[in-house]
Amino acid sequence: MEEPKEGENKSKVLVVGGTGYIGKRIVKASLKQGHPTYVLRRPEIGLDIDKLQMLMSFKKKGARLIDGSFSDHQSLVRAVKQVDVVICTISGVHFRSHNILLQLKLVDAIKEAGNVKRFLPSEFGMDPAQMGHALEPGRVTFDEKMTVRNAIHEAGIPFTYVSANCFGGYFVGNLSQMGSLTPPLDDKVSLYGDGNAKAIFLDEDDIATYTIKTIDDPRTLNKTLYLRPPKNILSQKELVGKWEKLIGKELIKTSISEEDFLASMKGMDFAGQVGVGHFYHIFYEGCLTNFEVELEASSLYPEVEYTRVVDYLIRYM
């Protein structure tokens, strides 16, 4: 019997938002794991040469580009009809671009096409189903993600939700300090309260690897997969301690009370207020680790050698 060719028995994947922060990693992971990989090329990129060149680089690596636009319903229907799985990674953070509800148009197209066996909407952060109590104005992120989820359920579309917690690029290198992406140059660090609330930190390439692992896995069908690699469940104080050990000196620490932290919202722009709300839930409330989960990625896929926080930190030395 002839052996199956690479990708022959693997789902065809369409990535929407493939030039974004997580999207580009999803494309690479899909190709690496042998899936026939398609990327939506939207006319909205206009003269953004960086995005165009990224798309062309994907094509060179074997991805196929499909033209489609959120303003052209039939183009989306034609796109999704060519694949088995749709993964959407359009941005949901306010300091970049915030387009979560655009996915409702994608849901309509998937429903009309009728062939998609799995849809992974743009989630990848905190589980919105756990955030019904979230503070204004940051709760808009979770409310909009739940609106998309409700549309998926009403349309009867098979799904997987991926809850990836804290992206390393935004939470590890800066020791979880707001307003910076790199370690403090003045050897001073602010702790949220006592700094002991447990958070979960992920390497972005690992997020993509785990995400692609789910798409042909019956265990994750119509489920939420939580990314909780045990070595990366740390408090902010523990995160700072790992950095101190690497650089061989102790940082000067100050504590920000819950009241002072929330008061800092005053005078901030909308994106800043959203960020403060999210940081509050993570680092004062411990919202990432204060509930039990059914499906955890590092347990389901022990073959994935995930990046430890300390190895992520070494990149900043």
Side-chain angles (χ1 to χ4, degrees):
M1 181 182 291
E2 184 181 355
E3 291 187 9
K5 297 176 182 177
E6 184 179 10
E8 190 173 297
N9 295 317
K10 294 197 173 189
S11 292
K12 297 177 181 178
V13 179
L14 172 65
V15 182
V16 180
T19 60
Y21 185 65
I22 292 296
K24 62 188 176 187
R25 293 172 166 87
I26 297 282
V27 173
K28 291 173 184 175
S30 180
L31 288 168
K32 185 176 181 179
Q33 293 182 40
H35 290 273
T37 304
Y38 299 72
V39 184
L40 192 70
R41 177 170 57 188
R42 293 185 279 160
E44 290 83 1
I45 67 171
L47 299 178
D48 192 330
I49 190 68
D50 292 330
K51 287 186 176 181
L52 178 61
Q53 289 182 344
M54 191 182 301
L55 288 169
M56 300 310 289
S57 73
F58 292 152
K59 186 177 179 182
K60 190 175 181 180
K61 292 173 183 174
R64 304 169 207 184
L65 306 182
I66 304 179
D67 291 308
S69 171
F70 283 106
S71 61
D72 181 350
H73 173 72
Q74 285 306 316
S75 74
L76 292 179
V77 174
R78 288 191 297 270
V80 301
K81 277 187 174 180
Q82 298 181 55
V83 300
D84 306 303
V85 174
V86 177
I87 303 175
C88 188
T89 61
I90 59 176
S91 178
V93 292
H94 285 82
F95 60 86
R96 290 169 70 92
S97 58
H98 185 83
N99 297 307
I100 292 298
L101 292 182
L102 270 181
Q103 294 180 103
L104 295 175
K105 296 183 178 182
L106 193 54
V107 169
D108 289 340
I110 292 170
K111 181 180 180 181
E112 181 173 327
N115 62 292
V116 171
K117 70 177 189 180
R118 194 85 66 103
F119 176 41
L120 284 70
S122 187
E123 297 247 347
F124 305 109
M126 299 180 233
D127 180 5
Q130 300 290 331
M131 300 306 296
H133 65 292
L135 298 173
E136 295 283 4
R139 66 171 298 122
V140 64
T141 303
F142 313 118
D143 290 344
E144 290 185 357
K145 287 182 177 181
M146 290 306 297
T147 296
V148 174
R149 284 192 182 192
N150 290 336
I152 291 168
H153 298 168
E154 289 172 10
I157 297 169
F159 64 86
T160 297
Y161 303 138
V162 177
S163 177
N165 302 297
C166 295
F167 297 173
Y170 288 109
F171 287 91
V172 173
N174 58 359
L175 308 182
S176 298
Q177 305 294 284
M178 292 191 71
S180 174
L181 294 175
T182 54
L185 296 176
D186 59 3
D187 294 334
K188 296 178 181 178
V189 65
S190 297
L191 297 178
Y192 303 110
D194 59 14
N196 288 326
K198 294 285 188 178
I200 308 168
F201 305 96
L202 269 293
D203 176 277
E204 291 83 350
D205 291 334
D206 292 342
I207 294 171
T209 298
Y210 284 126
T211 298
I212 297 299
K213 286 275 186 184
T214 71
I215 62 180
D216 283 330
D217 188 345
R219 297 173 297 177
T220 60
L221 180 62
N222 296 332
K223 301 282 189 179
T224 298
L225 178 70
Y226 296 89
L227 276 53
R228 288 186 172 187
K231 298 289 187 183
N232 289 2
I233 302 174
L234 303 170
S235 68
Q236 187 198 11
K237 187 178 286 186
E238 290 170 327
L239 173 63
V240 171
K242 288 185 179 295
W243 177 248
E244 290 175 326
K245 188 174 181 180
L246 283 173
I247 62 173
K249 62 180 174 181
E250 190 171 338
L251 302 184
I252 301 166
K253 303 174 191 70
T254 57
S255 174
I256 307 173
S257 72
E258 184 175 326
E259 294 77 14
D260 287 345
F261 185 71
L262 290 175
S264 72
M265 269 200 228
K266 296 177 182 177
M268 286 188 175
D269 62 14
F270 185 81
Q273 292 180 33
V274 168
V276 167
H278 292 181
F279 269 64
Y280 170 78
H281 291 299
I282 294 169
F283 293 109
Y284 289 92
E285 188 177 271
C287 71
L288 301 181
T289 57
N290 63 2
F291 61 98
E292 299 296 319
V293 302
E294 179 184 354
L295 293 177
E296 196 285 309
S298 65
S299 298
L300 281 186
Y301 311 112
E303 69 275 12
V304 176
E305 292 287 337
Y306 67 85
T307 302
R308 273 54 170 177
V309 163
V310 67
D311 294 318
Y312 206 109
L313 282 170
I314 287 171
R315 302 171 187 174
Y316 294 85
M317 294 187 69

